[in-house]
Amino acid sequence: DHKQRLDLIRAIESELGRPIGVLLDLQGPKLRVGTFANGPVKLVEGAPFRLDLQRDKPGDSTRAPLPHPEIFAALSAGAELLLDDGRLRLKVERSGADFAETRVVNGGMLSDRKGVNVPGVVLPLSAMTEKDRTDLDYGLTLGVDWVAVSFVQRPEDIVDVKRIVQGRAGIVAKLEKPAA
């Protein structure tokens, strides 16, 4: 499908006699909460809420599984977590290698597998997943003009992409964290 779309864009580009830039937007790592036993839960402002590595225990209105040890490794008291595209905000009160006890700052409904962002913390993760590497190789083979890199946290994230791209496309760093 992607090849057909790119071929169509290149045909239109040729017909118009004007360049049309094609951007490959890499997904980056997806950090998500686990599932909830009885569907969506309501997080109430001011209430405690625990995140932990207990993947086999579905969440409820007081806790949720967060199957990402790299997040816990980087957390400390005072850090904030944004859930569900920033709709919910939690503040870490205490954390360890496999848990975070938080307080709900902005509440609302939370359901299965919603995204987690830790804006003030550099996580020990690369911006490039194995899927991103495969997608990038394929996109370069097709002849994309630009590559957008998600989850950029440090200069090395772009250096890695430059090494793969080798000048075959421009690179756009999507700076989603203040540390970047």
Side-chain angles (χ1 to χ4, degrees), residues 114-133:
K114 291 299 180 182
V116 177
N117 190 342
V118 193
V121 176
V122 174
L123 299 175
L125 291 171
S126 168
M128 295 273 290
T129 66
E130 284 307 312
K131 179 186 183 313
D132 291 325
R133 291 178 189 285

Side-chain angles (χ1 to χ4, degrees), residues 36-49:
F36 293 89
N38 298 308
V41 297
K42 183 170 185 167
L43 301 190
V44 178
E45 187 174 319
F49 191 73

Side-chain angles (χ1 to χ4, degrees), residues 15-79:
E15 182 181 314
L16 295 175
R18 298 187 66 168
I20 300 173
V22 175
L23 174 87
L24 169 63
D25 187 0
L26 298 175
Q27 177 176 301
K30 290 296 177 198
L31 306 172
R32 300 183 181 281
V33 296
T35 60
F36 293 89
N38 298 308
V41 297
K42 183 170 185 167
L43 301 190
V44 178
E45 187 174 319
F49 191 73
R50 180 182 171 93
L51 297 163
D52 58 49
L53 288 176
Q54 295 182 47
R55 298 171 197 222
D56 58 337
K57 184 179 175 188
D60 57 33
S61 63
T62 64
R63 69 156 290 279
L66 181 61
H68 302 286
E70 58 277 4
I71 291 178
F72 298 115
L75 287 179
S76 60

